[in-house]
Amino acid sequence: MNNHSIDVVADLVATKCCSRDAEVILLVELDRLSVESTVNKEQSVQICRQDKARGIASSN
């Protein structure tokens, strides 16, 4: 992980958006045009829900 990714995970834990007892944190970074990014984000959230993610947090 790079420093930005580490900061994102630390912020999630600090703001209680992510439980400290989580066994795994999946960080998905999407780099595309804004239209593609919206579709990819929706698909990523849908996959997480299908796989019974305990929580989903996203940013723009």
Side-chain angles (χ1 to χ4, degrees):
M1 282 205 270
N2 61 24
N3 285 339
H4 179 70
S5 298
I6 293 168
D7 289 342
V8 168
V9 172
D11 290 347
L12 285 173
V13 172
T15 59
K16 301 199 181 348
C17 288
C18 178
S19 176
R20 289 191 66 81
D21 69 342
E23 293 182 24
V24 175
I25 296 173
L26 174 64
L27 181 62
V28 179
E29 184 176 357
L30 303 171
D31 292 325
R32 298 281 179 205
L33 299 173
S34 61
V35 172
E36 290 176 327
S37 182
T38 300
V39 171
N40 290 338
K41 181 178 176 181
E42 291 170 1
Q43 289 174 339
S44 297
V45 168
Q46 181 180 10
I47 290 168
C48 290
R49 285 193 177 121
Q50 287 173 349
D51 288 338
K52 301 187 183 2
R54 210 166 29 163
I56 300 170
S58 64
S59 66
N60 295 331

